[in-house]
Amino acid sequence: MWISELAERSGVPVATVKFYLRERLLPPGEPVSATRSAYDESHLRRLRLIRALTDVAGLPLGVVGRVLDAVDDPDRSLRAVLGAAHSALSRSDPPAGPDACRRVDRLLRQRRWKVSPSSPTRAALARALEAYGVLGRQLPDETLEVYAETAHAVATVDLASVPTTTREEAVERAVIGTLLAEPVLLALRRLAHEDVSARAFGARRTRRR
Amino acid sequence: MWISELAERSGVPVATVKFYLRERLLPPGEPVSATRSAYDESHLRRLRLIRALTDVAGLPLGVVGRVLDAVDDPDRSLRAVLGAAHSALSRSDPPAGPDACRRVDRLLRQRRWKVSPSSPTRAALARALEAYGVLGRQLPDETLEVYAETAHAVATVDLASVPTTTREEAVERAVIGTLLAEPVLLALRRLAHEDVSARAFGARRTRRR
């Protein structure tokens, strides 16, 4: 297909496709004449992946380039590629305090979760736990356990649908599956809070201060 | 206690406490002399709630005022008060399309969740579901079902710890329980994705494109 069809089918404007070609994020097409190249399904797949990484994940192009390098490196297992993609989704700064980091390490060790020691998501969790301290509170261990349990159940469902036909599709689905579902899960939890509150406090009245 | 102690114990600067008094978010203290008033534990509780609503929930003061009015209105049940607080946490605009709204209505009806028809969180969920369409995808019904199931399990644990001693504490805990836990849950899910990926794709290699 010509670049115009590639743009149309991917929903990415021609100017942006040319930009991705110049930036080496998209491999060149097959030259047909001095001024025209032909593109195929692999270019379409790659464009969709770039779009998921930029538009949905909001990653800067430098990070997108590194994820794509991992996808293209035949010596890296799909596990390593997905690990690189997952790591790219979290920011590692600002660092969290040692207590919160130890709590995260302990949780992951007890659950035997295979998470890279350098994953920035560890720090993201530690920072989220630290936020309770600002209000003089702490998330109880039992609640954290239930959260971890349900998070794993959700992740298992999410990744059950990740196809292993091409590495690009696997990465695209993993990124989309991680990010697009986040607002869905948060909205559902808020609705569930409304339901649980309505049932618990519907009849009773509580003492006024 | 004097205003200085109130500020110190709540972690809110004296100038901010005075501002809340002027804005009628915080009830006046007991006048002791022409220039001094005494404050008690109820003021401390109220300040903590204001802080949770502004700092954690990021609500504008106008919305905070409406939530506090609900807390102070003896004719409103705790259910109605918590409903007002939950609704304040979601924005209702931009509106979602009719298909996504119908999908949300159907889900809530099937699960018999008690959610106010005017809750802005309905629209938030509909918009989150619509986001898949941008990438030409749709969240499968089976996945949405699992999400709803786990969201309800999480909400049940969250609200099991909401005390009913005072309405202020109940609202504060509901708001904190909803908001502070969100980044915790998202980080745990991402870590679980890393674990599930590592287990599923650790050994196998997949066909390159």
Side-chain angles (χ1 to χ4, degrees):
Chain A
M1 70 186 101
W2 306 127
I3 195 167
S4 54
E5 188 184 343
L6 182 62
E8 200 180 321
R9 285 181 61 192
S10 65
V12 177
V14 170
T16 309
V17 174
K18 287 182 175 166
F19 172 74
Y20 290 155
L21 286 165
R22 281 199 306 277
E23 294 290 320
R24 305 286 177 91
L25 295 172
L26 189 67
E30 190 72 42
V32 178
S33 71
T35 55
R36 300 196 98 179
S37 294
Y39 300 88
D40 60 23
E41 297 297 320
S42 73
H43 292 93
L44 198 57
R45 268 201 305 274
R46 172 59 53 108
L47 269 179
R48 269 205 284 259
L49 176 56
I50 295 173
R51 215 170 152 211
L53 293 169
T54 52
D55 292 4
V56 179
L59 297 179
L61 288 182
V63 177
V64 171
R66 286 203 294 279
V67 173
L68 295 176
D69 282 348
V71 170
D72 289 334
D73 181 351
D75 290 336
R76 294 183 69 177
S77 67
L78 183 57
R79 168 182 171 172
V81 174
L82 288 173
H86 280 129
S87 284
L89 301 183
S90 288
R91 290 161 46 88
S92 54
D93 56 292
D99 285 353
C101 290
R102 269 195 295 272
R103 194 172 176 204
V104 171
D105 289 346
R106 204 165 49 234
L107 178 80
L108 296 178
R109 207 168 47 238
Q110 279 165 356
R111 307 213 141 239
R112 298 172 189 277
W113 283 10
K114 289 174 184 282
V115 174
S116 157
S118 62
S119 169
T121 316
R122 287 173 178 261
L125 176 57
R127 284 195 304 276
L129 292 173
E130 273 180 340
Y132 285 81
V134 175
L135 289 167
R137 302 188 179 279
Q138 206 191 355
L139 184 71
D141 275 328
E142 312 84 74
T143 310
L144 184 60
E145 290 290 325
V146 174
Y147 284 2
E149 196 75 43
T150 52
H152 205 273
V154 163
T156 304
V157 174
D158 290 335
L159 296 181
S161 61
V162 171
T164 53
T165 47
T166 69
R167 290 153 68 99
E168 255 136 346
E169 266 197 320
V171 172
E172 186 204 345
R173 294 234 171 171
V175 169
I176 291 176
T178 299
L179 294 176
L180 280 187
E182 292 188 348
V184 174
L185 286 161
L186 295 185
L188 281 168
R189 176 164 167 267
R190 290 181 180 199
L191 291 168
H193 276 176
E194 291 191 34
D195 176 61
V196 175
S197 290
R199 287 173 196 279
F201 306 113
R204 277 183 283 153
R205 302 240 166 174
T206 50
R207 169 169 83 72
R208 305 291 325 284
R209 108 192 106 80
Chain B
M1 73 186 99
W2 306 125
I3 196 168
S4 53
E5 188 185 343
L6 182 64
E8 201 181 319
R9 285 182 61 192
S10 65
V12 177
V14 170
T16 309
V17 175
K18 287 182 175 167
F19 172 74
Y20 291 156
L21 286 165
R22 280 199 304 277
E23 294 290 320
R24 305 284 178 92
L25 295 172
L26 190 65
E30 191 72 42
V32 178
S33 71
T35 55
R36 301 194 99 179
S37 293
Y39 301 88
D40 60 23
E41 296 298 319
S42 75
H43 292 92
L44 198 56
R45 267 200 307 271
R46 172 60 52 109
L47 269 179
R48 269 204 285 258
L49 176 56
I50 295 173
R51 213 169 155 213
L53 293 168
T54 52
D55 292 5
V56 179
L59 297 178
L61 288 181
V63 178
V64 171
R66 285 202 294 280
V67 173
L68 295 177
D69 282 348
V71 170
D72 289 334
D73 180 351
D75 290 336
R76 293 181 71 177
S77 67
L78 183 57
R79 170 181 170 171
V81 174
L82 288 174
H86 281 129
S87 284
L89 301 182
S90 287
R91 289 160 46 87
S92 55
D93 55 295
D99 285 353
C101 290
R102 269 195 296 272
R103 194 172 177 204
V104 170
D105 289 345
R106 203 164 51 232
L107 178 79
L108 296 179
R109 207 169 46 240
Q110 280 166 354
R111 307 213 142 241
R112 300 170 189 278
W113 284 9
K114 289 174 185 284
V115 174
S116 157
S118 63
S119 169
T121 316
R122 286 172 178 262
L125 176 57
R127 285 196 304 277
L129 291 173
E130 273 181 340
Y132 285 82
V134 175
L135 289 166
R137 301 187 180 280
Q138 207 191 354
L139 184 71
D141 275 329
E142 313 84 74
T143 309
L144 184 59
E145 289 291 323
V146 174
Y147 285 2
E149 196 76 44
T150 52
H152 205 273
V154 163
T156 304
V157 173
D158 289 336
L159 295 181
S161 61
V162 172
T164 53
T165 47
T166 70
R167 289 152 68 100
E168 255 138 346
E169 266 198 321
V171 172
E172 186 203 346
R173 293 234 171 170
V175 170
I176 291 176
T178 299
L179 294 176
L180 281 186
E182 291 188 347
V184 173
L185 286 161
L186 296 184
L188 280 168
R189 176 165 167 266
R190 289 181 180 199
L191 290 168
H193 276 175
E194 290 190 36
D195 176 61
V196 175
S197 289
R199 288 172 196 281
F201 305 115
R204 277 184 284 153
R205 305 241 164 172
T206 50
R207 171 168 84 69
R208 309 288 326 280
R209 100 197 114 80

PDB file of all heavy atoms in Angstrom, chain A residues 205-209, chain B residues 45 164-168:
ATOM      1  N   ARG A 205     -29.058   5.750  61.234  1.00  0.00           N
ATOM      2  CA  ARG A 205     -28.567   7.120  61.366  1.00  0.00           C
ATOM      3  C   ARG A 205     -27.468   7.053  62.411  1.00  0.00           C
ATOM      4  O   ARG A 205     -27.492   6.228  63.297  1.00  0.00           O
ATOM      5  CB  ARG A 205     -29.659   8.066  61.878  1.00  0.00           C
ATOM      6  CG  ARG A 205     -30.856   8.075  60.986  1.00  0.00           C
ATOM      7  CD  ARG A 205     -31.126   9.451  60.435  1.00  0.00           C
ATOM      8  NE  ARG A 205     -32.069   9.318  59.332  1.00  0.00           N
ATOM      9  CZ  ARG A 205     -32.588  10.374  58.734  1.00  0.00           C
ATOM     10  NH1 ARG A 205     -32.255  11.593  59.105  1.00  0.00           N
ATOM     11  NH2 ARG A 205     -33.418  10.223  57.747  1.00  0.00           N
ATOM     12  N   THR A 206     -26.498   7.931  62.295  1.00  0.00           N
ATOM     13  CA  THR A 206     -25.418   7.886  63.274  1.00  0.00           C
ATOM     14  C   THR A 206     -25.491   9.093  64.174  1.00  0.00           C
ATOM     15  O   THR A 206     -26.074  10.113  63.827  1.00  0.00           O
ATOM     16  CB  THR A 206     -24.054   7.876  62.571  1.00  0.00           C
ATOM     17  OG1 THR A 206     -24.036   8.937  61.634  1.00  0.00           O
ATOM     18  CG2 THR A 206     -23.824   6.556  61.882  1.00  0.00           C
ATOM     19  N   ARG A 207     -24.870   8.937  65.297  1.00  0.00           N
ATOM     20  CA  ARG A 207     -24.795   9.995  66.291  1.00  0.00           C
ATOM     21  C   ARG A 207     -24.165  11.245  65.679  1.00  0.00           C
ATOM     22  O   ARG A 207     -23.152  11.169  64.999  1.00  0.00           O
ATOM     23  CB  ARG A 207     -23.921   9.441  67.421  1.00  0.00           C
ATOM     24  CG  ARG A 207     -23.482  10.420  68.453  1.00  0.00           C
ATOM     25  CD  ARG A 207     -22.863   9.658  69.623  1.00  0.00           C
ATOM     26  NE  ARG A 207     -21.470   9.273  69.462  1.00  0.00           N
ATOM     27  CZ  ARG A 207     -20.468  10.130  69.511  1.00  0.00           C
ATOM     28  NH1 ARG A 207     -20.697  11.416  69.654  1.00  0.00           N
ATOM     29  NH2 ARG A 207     -19.219   9.709  69.385  1.00  0.00           N
ATOM     30  N   ARG A 208     -24.793  12.393  65.895  1.00  0.00           N
ATOM     31  CA  ARG A 208     -24.166  13.641  65.468  1.00  0.00           C
ATOM     32  C   ARG A 208     -23.111  14.003  66.510  1.00  0.00           C
ATOM     33  O   ARG A 208     -23.245  13.639  67.676  1.00  0.00           O
ATOM     34  CB  ARG A 208     -25.194  14.793  65.432  1.00  0.00           C
ATOM     35  CG  ARG A 208     -26.420  14.540  64.605  1.00  0.00           C
ATOM     36  CD  ARG A 208     -26.117  14.503  63.114  1.00  0.00           C
ATOM     37  NE  ARG A 208     -25.076  15.429  62.677  1.00  0.00           N
ATOM     38  CZ  ARG A 208     -25.248  16.740  62.527  1.00  0.00           C
ATOM     39  NH1 ARG A 208     -26.401  17.293  62.784  1.00  0.00           N
ATOM     40  NH2 ARG A 208     -24.263  17.493  62.116  1.00  0.00           N
ATOM     41  N   ARG A 209     -22.123  14.749  66.070  1.00  0.00           N
ATOM     42  CA  ARG A 209     -21.098  15.168  67.033  1.00  0.00           C
ATOM     43  C   ARG A 209     -21.719  16.163  67.994  1.00  0.00           C
ATOM     44  O   ARG A 209     -22.625  16.902  67.657  1.00  0.00           O
ATOM     45  CB  ARG A 209     -19.926  15.719  66.244  1.00  0.00           C
ATOM     46  CG  ARG A 209     -19.710  17.196  66.281  1.00  0.00           C
ATOM     47  CD  ARG A 209     -18.712  17.570  65.244  1.00  0.00           C
ATOM     48  NE  ARG A 209     -19.355  18.228  64.122  1.00  0.00           N
ATOM     49  CZ  ARG A 209     -19.701  19.503  64.128  1.00  0.00           C
ATOM     50  NH1 ARG A 209     -19.478  20.232  65.172  1.00  0.00           N
ATOM     51  NH2 ARG A 209     -20.287  20.056  63.095  1.00  0.00           N
TER      52      ARG A 209
ATOM     53  N   ARG B  45     -11.457  17.706  64.058  1.00  0.00           N
ATOM     54  CA  ARG B  45     -12.055  16.734  63.126  1.00  0.00           C
ATOM     55  C   ARG B  45     -12.468  17.420  61.839  1.00  0.00           C
ATOM     56  O   ARG B  45     -12.249  16.916  60.744  1.00  0.00           O
ATOM     57  CB  ARG B  45     -13.300  16.103  63.756  1.00  0.00           C
ATOM     58  CG  ARG B  45     -13.060  14.822  64.485  1.00  0.00           C
ATOM     59  CD  ARG B  45     -14.353  14.028  64.645  1.00  0.00           C
ATOM     60  NE  ARG B  45     -15.427  14.802  65.235  1.00  0.00           N
ATOM     61  CZ  ARG B  45     -15.649  14.894  66.556  1.00  0.00           C
ATOM     62  NH1 ARG B  45     -14.865  14.276  67.408  1.00  0.00           N
ATOM     63  NH2 ARG B  45     -16.652  15.617  67.010  1.00  0.00           N
ATOM     64  N   THR B 164     -18.548   4.674  62.235  1.00  0.00           N
ATOM     65  CA  THR B 164     -19.803   5.429  62.202  1.00  0.00           C
ATOM     66  C   THR B 164     -19.946   6.254  63.461  1.00  0.00           C
ATOM     67  O   THR B 164     -21.039   6.596  63.859  1.00  0.00           O
ATOM     68  CB  THR B 164     -21.004   4.478  62.048  1.00  0.00           C
ATOM     69  OG1 THR B 164     -20.911   3.487  63.068  1.00  0.00           O
ATOM     70  CG2 THR B 164     -21.008   3.812  60.701  1.00  0.00           C
ATOM     71  N   THR B 165     -18.820   6.563  64.113  1.00  0.00           N
ATOM     72  CA  THR B 165     -18.896   7.344  65.346  1.00  0.00           C
ATOM     73  C   THR B 165     -19.345   8.763  65.046  1.00  0.00           C
ATOM     74  O   THR B 165     -20.274   9.264  65.671  1.00  0.00           O
ATOM     75  CB  THR B 165     -17.536   7.364  66.056  1.00  0.00           C
ATOM     76  OG1 THR B 165     -16.543   7.668  65.064  1.00  0.00           O
ATOM     77  CG2 THR B 165     -17.225   6.013  66.671  1.00  0.00           C
ATOM     78  N   THR B 166     -18.687   9.452  64.132  1.00  0.00           N
ATOM     79  CA  THR B 166     -19.158  10.782  63.740  1.00  0.00           C
ATOM     80  C   THR B 166     -19.299  10.806  62.234  1.00  0.00           C
ATOM     81  O   THR B 166     -18.622  10.065  61.514  1.00  0.00           O
ATOM     82  CB  THR B 166     -18.185  11.912  64.136  1.00  0.00           C
ATOM     83  OG1 THR B 166     -17.021  11.813  63.324  1.00  0.00           O
ATOM     84  CG2 THR B 166     -17.796  11.844  65.604  1.00  0.00           C
ATOM     85  N   ARG B 167     -20.179  11.668  61.761  1.00  0.00           N
ATOM     86  CA  ARG B 167     -20.397  11.775  60.326  1.00  0.00           C
ATOM     87  C   ARG B 167     -19.143  12.306  59.637  1.00  0.00           C
ATOM     88  O   ARG B 167     -18.819  11.904  58.524  1.00  0.00           O
ATOM     89  CB  ARG B 167     -21.577  12.712  60.059  1.00  0.00           C
ATOM     90  CG  ARG B 167     -22.906  12.082  60.469  1.00  0.00           C
ATOM     91  CD  ARG B 167     -23.929  13.125  60.848  1.00  0.00           C
ATOM     92  NE  ARG B 167     -24.372  13.919  59.714  1.00  0.00           N
ATOM     93  CZ  ARG B 167     -25.521  13.712  59.055  1.00  0.00           C
ATOM     94  NH1 ARG B 167     -26.302  12.703  59.407  1.00  0.00           N
ATOM     95  NH2 ARG B 167     -25.879  14.487  58.063  1.00  0.00           N
ATOM     96  N   GLU B 168     -18.430  13.227  60.322  1.00  0.00           N
ATOM     97  CA  GLU B 168     -17.217  13.772  59.721  1.00  0.00           C
ATOM     98  C   GLU B 168     -16.184  12.678  59.459  1.00  0.00           C
ATOM     99  O   GLU B 168     -15.573  12.619  58.396  1.00  0.00           O
ATOM    100  CB  GLU B 168     -16.583  14.783  60.670  1.00  0.00           C
ATOM    101  CG  GLU B 168     -16.787  16.178  60.234  1.00  0.00           C
ATOM    102  CD  GLU B 168     -17.135  17.038  61.417  1.00  0.00           C
ATOM    103  OE1 GLU B 168     -17.474  16.479  62.498  1.00  0.00           O
ATOM    104  OE2 GLU B 168     -17.088  18.261  61.256  1.00  0.00           O
TER     105      GLU B 168
END
